[in-house]
């Protein structure tokens, strides 16, 4: 085992981040692990950051880069809201994030998922991965843990879910990714945004479903290992 | 029609004792003496109309356009000095495309009107610039529906259901 831990490595959020639209709004979800090399710098971080009253962003990649980008965009959106006289739309927020990501692509390393609700377009999710592409999608996944979720979403995603179905889907997905990805862990945080406002939820590790090797074995060959003398199973 | 400034009208940075800036009022006269421009806001759009003034019979029809499009969703009609108008239209086009690049959506008409008005007002603040000698009727269609604004040489802009500027404005308004 490699015991040399580089405690001065840049803080990176291994991360699993998800954004999902449902019939009436969006649900954003994320894990809570921030790592510095192999050391977990923060096991309960909040990766879902507010940009405006109705638009939030999930951050992944370099913690510093994603924080700076969110801070700049929050500042620009604040000014924009004052001039406009009403809340900014999620499309505008996503575009501002995209401009910063694209124009500074050589220096930044951050993948973001913008999700929000506005009165013109309803709930929208925008993915802005590493190079600064902007793509509007019904759902988006990001971070190192997302690799394990592509197949899951292909099968489990459906159009027109209810708020509770969408949130359950997000929690299940983040918890699956946490189970498989070493760089994701901690708790699952969700943010639901719709016409009524914003709701934050928190699912600690013990409230999450168990997967595969975490479950009690049933009729499994593992029974033989635990018994005193290996005998053929009685089925 | 002629008002006597008596020395307070030599510069746009001078107020008269009764609180007027004569240079701006003279600029407005340039607009009043030009061809009529009308704008009407309807339920489903904007209509802009200008009086076609034929300066010479040798002129080709279709030249001397006074209605310009600013962006896919907005346009403006200019009364007064045509060259000044061209400058304002160029500025409006540039503001509209810049907004679209930064914010990713077409510029709201209210925002465009404010920017055009600010630009016109800018030229009333410095002694080395003269005020624009044109009035603008700006129409556009954004998320909140069709809107009509009028910008005067002083830099004021108001929203209207219907507006008219130029020689025939009194007749148009009745």
């Amino acid at each position: 085992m490699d015991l040399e831990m580089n405690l001065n490595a840049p803080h990176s959020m291994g991360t699993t981040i998800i954004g999902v639209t449902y019939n009436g709004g969006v649900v954003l979800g994320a894990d809570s692990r921030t790592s510095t090399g192999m050391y977990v710098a923060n096991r309960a971080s909040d990766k879902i950051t507010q940009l405006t009253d109705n638009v939030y962003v999930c951050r992944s990649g370099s913690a510093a880069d994603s924080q700076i980008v969110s801070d700049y965009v929050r500042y620009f959106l604040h000014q924009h809201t004052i001039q406009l006289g009403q809340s900014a739309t999620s499309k505008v927020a996503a575009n501002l994030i995209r401009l910063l990501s694209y124009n500074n692509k050589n220096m930044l390393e951050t993948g973001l998922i913008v999700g929000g609700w506005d009165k013109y377009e309803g709930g929208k999710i925008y993915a802005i991965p590493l190079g600064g592409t902007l793509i509007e999608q019904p759902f988006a996944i990001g971070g190192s843990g997302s690799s394990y979720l592509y197949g899951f979403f292909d099968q489990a995603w459906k159009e027109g879910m209810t708020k509770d179905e969408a949130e359950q889907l997000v929690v299940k997905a983040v918890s699956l990714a946490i189970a498989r990805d070493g760089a994701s862990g901690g708790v699952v945080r969700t943010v639901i945004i719709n016409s009524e406002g914003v709701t934050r939820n928190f699912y600690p590790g013990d409230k999450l479903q168990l997967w595969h090797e975490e479950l009690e074995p049933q009729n499994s060959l593992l029974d033989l290992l635990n018994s005193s003398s290996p005998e053929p199973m009685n089925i | 029609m002629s008002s006597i400034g008596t020395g307070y009208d030599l510069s746009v940075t001078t107020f008269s004792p009764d609180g007027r800036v004569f240079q701006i009022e003279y600029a407005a006269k340039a607009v009043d003496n030009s061809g009529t421009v009308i704008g009407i806001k309807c339920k489903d759009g904007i209509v802009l109309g200008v009086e076609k003034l034929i300066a010479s019979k040798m002129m080709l029809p279709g030249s001397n356009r006074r209605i310009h499009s600013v962006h896919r969703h907005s346009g403006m009609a200019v009364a007064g000095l045509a060259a000044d108008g061209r400058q304002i239209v160029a500025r409006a086009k540039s503001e509209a495309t810049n907004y679209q690049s930064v914010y990713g959506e077409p510029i709201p008409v209210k925002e465009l009107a404010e920017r055009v008005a600010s630009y016109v007002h800018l030229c009333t603040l410095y002694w080395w610039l003269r005020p624009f000698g044109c009035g603008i009727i700006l129409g556009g269609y954004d998320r909140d529906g069709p809107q009509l604004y009028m910008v005067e040489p002083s830099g004021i802009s108001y929203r209207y259901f219907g507006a008219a500027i130029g020689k025939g404005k009194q007749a148009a308004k009745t």
Side-chain angles (χ1 to χ4, degrees):
Chain A
M1 197 159 59
D2 181 8
L3 290 170
E4 274 172 41
M5 294 194 286
N6 181 7
L7 295 169
N8 294 319
H11 284 56
S12 133
M13 297 182 300
T15 312
T16 307
I17 49 172
I18 302 180
V20 152
T21 58
Y22 72 90
N23 180 23
V26 296
V27 179
L28 299 175
D31 73 309
S32 68
R33 178 170 292 182
T34 306
S35 40
T36 322
M38 283 291 112
Y39 174 67
V40 176
N42 186 347
R43 61 182 166 93
S45 41
D46 182 7
K47 302 181 187 179
I48 310 177
T49 310
Q50 184 182 23
L51 294 178
T52 71
D53 288 342
N54 53 315
V55 181
Y56 280 65
V57 62
C58 295
R59 303 179 290 112
S60 77
S62 154
D65 288 353
S66 65
Q67 282 176 5
I68 267 289
V69 169
S70 321
D71 286 349
Y72 267 116
V73 172
R74 190 178 312 120
Y75 167 66
F76 294 138
L77 279 174
H78 180 66
Q79 293 188 319
H80 178 66
T81 305
I82 293 172
Q83 267 196 304
L84 208 59
Q86 57 190 36
S87 323
T89 58
S90 39
K91 182 157 72 156
V92 166
N95 201 54
L96 290 170
I97 296 241
R98 178 268 293 256
L99 286 176
L100 281 171
S101 288
Y102 178 75
N103 290 322
N104 296 295
K105 62 160 81 196
N106 295 327
M107 292 182 285
L108 294 173
E109 190 194 296
T110 170
L112 300 153
I113 297 181
V114 176
W117 183 93
D118 58 69
K119 64 180 189 228
Y120 300 112
E121 305 249 25
K124 286 282 177 190
I125 292 285
Y126 297 89
I128 301 129
L130 243 43
T133 330
L134 170 65
I135 175 157
E136 197 254 302
Q137 296 173 292
F139 69 89
I141 54 179
S144 57
S146 67
S147 319
Y148 309 102
L149 297 175
Y150 285 99
F152 172 70
F153 268 92
D154 282 343
Q155 194 241 22
W157 155 264
K158 40 186 180 51
E159 187 82 38
M161 290 187 284
T162 66
K163 179 173 76 143
D164 292 326
E165 281 177 335
E167 199 189 12
Q168 286 318 303
L169 177 68
V170 167
V171 172
K172 189 169 176 184
V174 179
S175 105
L176 280 167
I178 287 174
R180 287 294 181 181
D181 179 29
S184 300
V187 304
V188 179
R189 295 192 194 270
T190 64
V191 171
I192 306 172
I193 313 173
N194 52 32
S195 57
E196 281 141 41
V198 176
T199 315
R200 266 194 177 275
N201 286 323
F202 167 81
Y203 297 87
D206 55 353
K207 291 281 181 304
L208 299 174
Q209 207 175 338
L210 294 172
W211 304 113
H212 196 231
E213 279 126 5
E214 298 162 327
L215 295 164
E216 290 300 318
Q218 288 172 330
N219 267 352
S220 152
L221 288 171
L222 290 169
D223 289 339
L224 284 173
L225 289 169
N226 292 332
S227 65
S228 47
S229 59
E231 280 181 32
M233 280 202 305
N234 299 321
I235 299 169
Chain B
M1 236 221 313
S2 58
S3 53
I4 305 159
T6 338
Y8 298 112
D9 62 345
L10 296 172
S11 160
V12 79
T13 53
T14 310
F15 276 96
S16 74
D18 50 341
R20 296 154 72 181
V21 184
F22 281 107
Q23 279 294 310
I24 297 178
E25 295 187 19
Y26 296 161
K29 292 255 178 55
V31 177
D32 288 340
N33 292 338
S34 76
T36 317
V37 171
I38 301 180
I40 304 175
K41 172 181 118 63
C42 319
K43 217 167 32 181
D44 53 350
I46 305 282
V47 181
L48 296 173
V50 300
E51 180 189 348
K52 233 198 302 202
L53 295 166
I54 303 166
S56 142
K57 292 218 178 95
M58 300 293 271
M59 209 159 75
L60 279 171
S63 70
N64 192 30
R65 275 198 181 287
R66 301 207 288 145
I67 303 185
H68 302 94
S69 53
V70 170
H71 201 59
R72 267 174 307 209
H73 66 322
S74 51
M76 54 172 55
V78 178
L81 301 175
D84 286 10
R86 212 167 35 235
Q87 183 78 339
I88 298 181
V89 170
R91 179 73 184 213
K93 285 180 178 170
S94 143
E95 292 279 5
T97 42
N98 176 260
Y99 185 98
Q100 169 100 49
S101 316
V102 171
Y103 296 104
E105 58 171 20
I107 185 169
V109 192
K110 168 170 168 264
E111 186 67 29
L112 179 63
E114 262 169 40
R115 292 190 185 198
V116 169
S118 288
Y119 182 61
V120 170
H121 177 242
L122 190 77
C123 298
T124 66
L125 291 172
Y126 302 103
W127 62 264
W128 64 80
L129 292 173
R130 66 161 173 82
F132 281 104
C134 43
I136 310 282
I137 297 194
L138 199 161
Y141 202 120
D142 64 20
R143 284 208 215 253
D144 299 317
Q147 289 158 72
L148 185 74
Y149 288 85
M150 182 164 89
V151 183
E152 297 173 13
S154 55
I156 304 178
S157 109
Y158 285 122
R159 195 167 155 186
Y160 290 92
F161 293 113
I165 37 181
K167 261 190 286 223
K169 74 164 181 252
Q170 280 308 109
K173 283 183 185 171
T174 43

